[in-house]
Amino acid sequence: MAHTFRSRSLLGAAVVLSTIAIGYACTAHQGGAPSLTASDAAQKVYVAPGAKDEFYAFFSGGFNGQVGVYGLPSGRRFKTIPVFSQYPENGYGYTEETKQMLNTSYGFVPWDDSHHTALSQTNGEDDGRWLFINANNTPRIARIDLTRMETEEIIEIPNAAGNHGSPFITENTEYAVASTRFSVPVPNRDVPISEFKKYFKGQISFIKADEPGKMAVAFQLAMPGFDYDLARAGKGPSHDWMFLSSYNTEQANSLLEVNASQNDKDFVAAVNWKTVEACAKAGKGKSAPVEYVHNTIDPFTRTAKSEKLTSVLTVDPKDCAGAVYFMPTPKSPHGADVDPTGEYIVAGGKLATVIPVHSFSKMLKAIEGKQFEGELDGIPVLKYEATLAGEVKNPGLGPLHTEFDGKGYAYTSFFISSEIVKWKLGTWEVVDRVPTYYSVGHLMIPGGGTRKPNAKYVVAMNKITKDRYLPTGPELTQSAQLYDNTGPKMKLILDFPTEGEPHYANAIEASKIIDKQVKFFKLAENKNPMAVRAEKETGVSREGKKVHVRMTAIRSHFAPDNIEGVMVGDTVLFHVTNLEQDWDVPHGFAIMGNQNGELLVMPGETRTLKWVPPHAGVYPMYCTDFCSALHQEMQGYVRVSAPGSNVALTGTLSKGPSAAPKAASADAKQGDAKKQ
């Protein structure tokens, strides 16, 4: 264990790294990226009017908690998919049908920080069914259905904090794997922070992910109290394994920039998830009480529901031989990336001057030969040299993340020296490097974490954009840069701004998704209890101080569009059904003073807006989405009277009372008579 815990002078190292960083930056940026003429670059990213992009790209939204959908190579932004944050544009997290998606054991949480995306896989290849994404602040994983590009399921992760290291998908989407960035007491309770090493533990969670609506924490693996970070599942021969980077093996709890960088080596945790799964099934785990929440949207009512769960199964490595091994790796690693063959595991230490590459086959031999240098909490620590396939020497500064092209090359992002470096697997020689503008975090190759990458493009996700775009005050846009990778050298062909702070992205051939897109919802399959299928079914009714308005929207009017008999103190629920059965004809709905988002109702669906009128008066309501030439005429009024008023509850069309509202009015009068 000596080399793992050997200390060095951080001040001296910082000075050296800073000096080298300046040198690298100057060398890289003076040379500049291999350039194309403006016309050549423009032609490579030009998507003609009416034509479509070759790839869908899904970018995590970082601090906006959403997913951005872009096209490649154009860089055009098509859509925001709301996931962990309320979204006023379409009412997600505001409407009565979607609010429960943001429920947690902490209550309603209307925001989160989303870092990493992951596509579902079949046989180690992206299959285009689902996209998974993590919530970092309040630990959760969401599933997005790519036929609708909507969030359909969110599961909270118990015993976790800082869900940065997730979600990482096994080869057939058996599990989405999540690890804790911030180790915490398990169970979480009041303990002195100064006794970190005694009480704080890490958790690696295995979330069942292969069936929509049935995500579940299958089991958790109790780990030493380190900070766990990025991961990749094995492939082919390493299919049964998951490889996770970890840092802060010092188990420091303050000033981590210094105290978590003392050891020369941190670890890649090699977890045999098949072994852990077998131990869990064999009764070697312990079930413990804990509270967490699972939220789903019913595909027919299109309404969310929350389920509270109260226990989780935890497996201790001490009770499950062969479950986990630690591979020492240069300090403060970020990525732990597996090449398409499943043989090489790349783990760049952010403070290292080499990129270490571990060999899966050598790791197995080292385990068999018991080439250990010790153990931590019952977990064997393998010798560094025993698992090492090779090191990429002097590649750059601040290596973060590696993707692969399936042709024998790897691509690593370097935050400090602001560049992407291409190097050859097996010989470990650098063959190309391009500058980024500036301070690249993750990079992305379509399918770059799978068995079959499509390396036509490389995308850099940069953290700093000063001098790159028109200034927008103190807060600048984030940036992505697109590199053509069809030749021997990467060539920068496009800058495009991104929203939030994208940490990672996935891209997939559009052909795997485009033909599966839902174009509208069938009215006949709308099982929302407040749905209506024709104007004659509309109406208003009262339940005490709650008023239900069952309303239709169609080009270009609402029914009913004049409502009277609402009183101050009432809660009004507008249940709006879009009767259209044609693609791309949503209708919006808002009423003056509503204190939430609008409704954006897709063809064939029902959405509900809650409104509490503050005082008497007449309130206009209108369609917020430009739906036809007579969109401006799609409006109406709600009359609100003082409490106790004898104004009858009615809902009419301007041309005269409709049949259904009359019935509703009669019911309302009977209700008022009973009250009196």
Side-chain angles (χ1 to χ4, degrees):
M1 300 293 290
H3 75 268
T4 306
F5 296 101
R6 188 167 59 247
S7 298
R8 62 173 57 174
S9 169
L10 286 173
L11 180 60
V15 172
V16 170
L17 284 175
S18 299
T19 304
I20 297 174
I22 294 171
Y24 265 109
C26 290
T27 301
H29 290 263
Q30 283 172 1
S35 59
L36 298 169
T37 65
S39 60
D40 287 342
Q43 186 173 0
K44 282 184 174 290
V45 300
Y46 178 67
V47 178
K52 297 178 177 65
D53 280 281
E54 185 179 354
F55 293 90
Y56 283 104
F58 302 98
F59 284 69
S60 71
F63 41 65
N64 71 22
Q66 321 289 31
V67 169
V69 185
Y70 295 78
L72 296 181
S74 71
R76 297 178 295 191
R77 184 181 180 92
F78 299 141
K79 181 181 177 68
T80 295
I81 303 174
V83 186
F84 298 114
S85 299
Q86 290 177 302
Y87 192 52
E89 181 176 306
N90 66 5
Y92 177 87
Y94 292 105
T95 67
E96 301 306 295
E97 287 83 8
T98 61
K99 285 193 298 187
Q100 291 194 75
M101 291 300 286
L102 301 181
N103 285 347
T104 75
S105 62
Y106 301 91
F108 180 79
V109 176
W111 167 88
D112 217 303
D113 181 20
S114 57
H115 281 217
H116 303 119
T117 57
L119 288 163
S120 57
Q121 294 186 16
T122 301
N123 297 324
E125 298 178 42
D126 294 332
D127 57 29
R129 291 179 294 165
W130 309 308
L131 181 76
F132 299 90
I133 187 166
N134 66 332
N136 189 32
N137 188 54
T138 303
R140 288 167 286 173
I141 290 176
R143 182 204 307 269
I144 295 167
D145 185 314
L146 292 180
T147 66
R148 306 188 312 272
M149 299 209 181
E150 292 181 337
T151 303
E152 67 173 8
E153 186 173 11
I154 297 176
I155 190 164
E156 189 177 358
I157 303 174
N159 297 328
N163 181 41
H164 183 256
S166 80
F168 301 103
I169 306 300
T170 54
E171 277 200 296
N172 288 298
T173 319
E174 299 96 338
Y175 296 107
V177 179
S179 61
T180 54
R181 174 181 173 186
F182 310 120
S183 289
V184 291
V186 179
N188 206 343
R189 58 202 186 279
D190 181 11
V191 300
I193 298 174
S194 59
E195 297 188 42
F196 187 102
K197 293 183 180 181
K198 180 178 179 181
Y199 292 110
F200 287 58
K201 298 293 182 183
Q203 296 285 333
I204 299 174
S205 301
F206 291 80
I207 314 297
K208 185 179 182 295
D210 57 348
E211 292 184 79
K214 296 183 179 180
M215 290 178 74
V217 182
F219 48 86
Q220 294 185 316
L221 187 63
M223 297 291 286
F226 305 155
D227 289 34
Y228 296 88
D229 209 355
L230 305 189
R232 288 285 189 203
K235 304 176 181 70
S238 56
H239 167 84
D240 297 354
W241 295 77
M242 177 68 64
F243 302 94
L244 306 95
S245 66
S246 66
Y247 62 99
N248 190 22
T249 53
E250 300 85 352
Q251 295 182 271
N253 60 275
S254 180
L255 288 176
L256 264 62
E257 63 177 333
V258 175
N259 294 323
S261 301
Q262 296 296 312
N263 298 337
D264 279 350
K265 296 286 194 299
D266 286 308
F267 296 123
V268 168
V271 177
N272 189 319
W273 59 265
K274 282 279 193 180
T275 297
V276 184
E277 181 183 65
C279 286
K281 290 179 179 178
K284 295 183 179 180
K286 295 178 182 178
S287 183
V290 68
E291 185 176 298
Y292 58 108
V293 172
H294 178 216
N295 306 321
T296 56
I297 287 186
D298 183 280
F300 297 106
T301 66
R302 294 188 43 72
T303 299
K305 63 178 181 180
S306 290
E307 174 189 15
K308 186 176 290 186
L309 304 172
T310 56
S311 67
V312 68
L313 183 69
T314 300
V315 176
D316 192 316
K318 297 186 186 75
D319 302 324
C320 188
V324 192
Y325 298 90
F326 281 138
M327 292 191 292
T329 205
K331 66 169 63 182
S332 299
H334 192 58
D337 302 295
V338 181
D339 86 304
T341 70
E343 167 62 13
Y344 296 123
I345 304 104
V346 181
K350 297 193 296 291
L351 301 180
T353 57
V354 298
I355 301 175
V357 184
H358 299 277
S359 160
F360 176 70
S361 57
K362 290 186 71 174
M363 183 195 81
L364 292 183
K365 289 179 181 178
I367 292 169
E368 184 180 359
K370 299 187 183 302
Q371 297 183 57
F372 305 137
E373 62 175 42
E375 68 173 34
L376 283 171
D377 289 0
I379 299 172
V381 179
L382 294 159
K383 293 181 179 179
Y384 179 64
E385 294 79 8
T387 67
L388 191 67
E391 295 178 331
V392 182
K393 306 288 187 182
N394 300 314
L397 291 173
L400 289 182
H401 173 216
T402 300
E403 298 261 280
F404 305 91
D405 64 8
K407 301 174 183 177
Y409 293 96
Y411 303 71
T412 302
S413 57
F414 288 83
F415 179 81
I416 297 175
S417 52
S418 292
E419 58 187 332
I420 295 174
V421 174
K422 178 180 178 181
W423 50 276
K424 188 170 179 58
L425 291 161
T427 67
W428 326 122
E429 61 181 318
V430 172
V431 298
D432 190 21
R433 65 174 73 236
V434 290
T436 62
Y437 305 96
Y438 305 98
S439 298
V440 59
H442 285 273
L443 79 163
M444 181 268 286
I445 287 173
T450 72
R451 280 190 176 192
K452 292 186 178 180
N454 184 336
K456 184 173 183 178
Y457 301 111
V458 179
V459 178
M461 282 157 275
N462 305 320
K463 303 301 183 187
I464 297 173
T465 61
K466 61 183 179 182
D467 305 325
R468 296 299 291 176
Y469 301 106
L470 289 172
T472 53
E475 183 183 1
L476 300 179
T477 183
Q478 304 289 321
S479 170
Q481 293 186 299
L482 183 71
Y483 295 83
D484 177 77
N485 197 37
T486 55
K489 300 291 185 181
M490 294 173 281
K491 296 178 180 179
L492 178 63
I493 55 175
L494 182 67
D495 273 297
F496 60 99
T498 53
E499 287 190 9
E501 186 198 357
H503 289 255
Y504 186 60
N506 291 95
I508 185 172
E509 294 87 347
S511 59
K512 291 186 177 181
I513 294 180
I514 191 170
D515 293 333
K516 302 173 185 176
Q517 292 297 285
V518 171
K519 297 182 177 179
F520 58 86
F521 300 104
K522 296 178 181 178
L523 268 174
E525 296 178 355
N526 183 339
K527 304 301 182 184
N528 187 304
M530 289 296 178
V532 295
R533 291 169 181 80
E535 289 185 7
K536 65 182 180 180
E537 299 176 8
T538 63
V540 293
S541 60
R542 177 180 291 281
E543 296 177 0
K545 289 187 174 294
K546 185 179 292 184
V547 174
H548 292 278
V549 180
R550 299 176 75 190
M551 176 183 286
T552 60
I554 196 166
R555 289 167 287 184
S556 294
H557 64 270
F558 294 112
D561 64 0
N562 280 212
I563 298 166
E564 299 189 33
V566 173
M567 293 182 284
V568 174
D570 285 343
T571 295
V572 184
L573 296 168
F574 295 94
H575 310 285
V576 183
T577 300
N578 183 344
L579 295 182
E580 308 282 357
Q581 291 288 268
D582 191 11
W583 194 15
D584 195 27
V585 191
H587 288 295
F589 179 82
I591 185 165
M592 187 170 71
N594 65 274
Q595 296 178 331
N596 41 31
E598 65 159 349
L599 298 182
L600 193 59
V601 191
M602 296 300 112
E605 83 171 343
T606 301
R607 284 285 181 255
T608 301
L609 179 74
K610 179 180 177 180
W611 177 61
V612 181
H615 47 72
V618 177
Y619 294 79
M621 57 187 182
Y622 70 105
C623 177
T624 55
D625 187 84
F626 205 106
C627 55
S628 71
L630 296 177
H631 163 71
Q632 290 290 97
E633 283 73 16
M634 194 168 175
Q635 63 186 53
Y637 294 97
V638 176
R639 175 187 174 189
V640 178
S641 303
S645 169
N646 61 1
V647 176
L649 184 64
T650 61
T652 64
L653 285 171
S654 56
K655 63 183 180 182
S658 60
K662 283 182 181 178
S665 177
D667 291 342
K669 288 178 180 178
Q670 290 177 3
D672 289 342
K674 288 179 183 178
K675 288 180 190 177
Q676 293 172 356

